[in-house]
């Protein structure tokens, strides 16, 4: 399961990391060149100003995933 978002600020990066840390499953952000653990705050700062895909496993409830990504934007 995945969905694209634009990462526009450091505050958004901090929110993404916090939200990913609250989930019981792994959440990743990926671009064409890198895949990062969404809980890793330091790595996510490299994505400011870029478009990335939020990725989680197939066993995740689609509605819960969508709500989480909505909060990330």
């Amino acid at each position: 399961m995945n969905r694209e978002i634009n990462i526009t600020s450091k505050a958004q990066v901090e929110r993404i990391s916090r939200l990913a840390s609250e989930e019981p499953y792994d959440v990743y952000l990926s671009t064409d060149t890198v895949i990062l653990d969404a809980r890793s705050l330091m790595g996510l700062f490299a994505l400011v100003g870029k478009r990335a895909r939020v990725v989680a496993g197939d066993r995740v409830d689609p509605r819960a995933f969508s709500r989480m990504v909505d909060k990330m934007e």
Side-chain angles (χ1 to χ4, degrees):
M1 169 166 318
N2 67 72
R3 193 166 117 194
E4 287 195 11
I5 61 172
N6 287 315
I7 302 173
T8 58
S9 69
K10 291 180 180 182
Q12 183 183 14
V13 165
E14 292 170 356
R15 186 171 58 246
I16 289 168
S17 178
R18 181 180 46 80
L19 289 165
S21 295
E22 293 172 357
E23 296 302 325
Y25 50 86
D26 292 332
V27 179
Y28 298 94
L29 267 65
S30 73
T31 66
D32 292 336
T33 58
V34 68
I35 298 175
L36 299 169
D37 184 339
R39 295 174 180 158
S40 171
L41 189 58
M42 293 303 290
L44 296 181
F45 281 113
L47 299 179
V48 174
K50 297 183 180 176
R51 188 160 186 80
R53 285 179 301 281
V54 181
V55 181
D58 293 334
R59 293 186 176 166
V60 175
D61 175 30
R63 286 176 278 166
F65 177 79
S66 184
R67 284 190 302 270
M68 177 192 62
V69 175
D70 287 345
K71 292 177 186 176
M72 289 179 173
E73 293 187 293

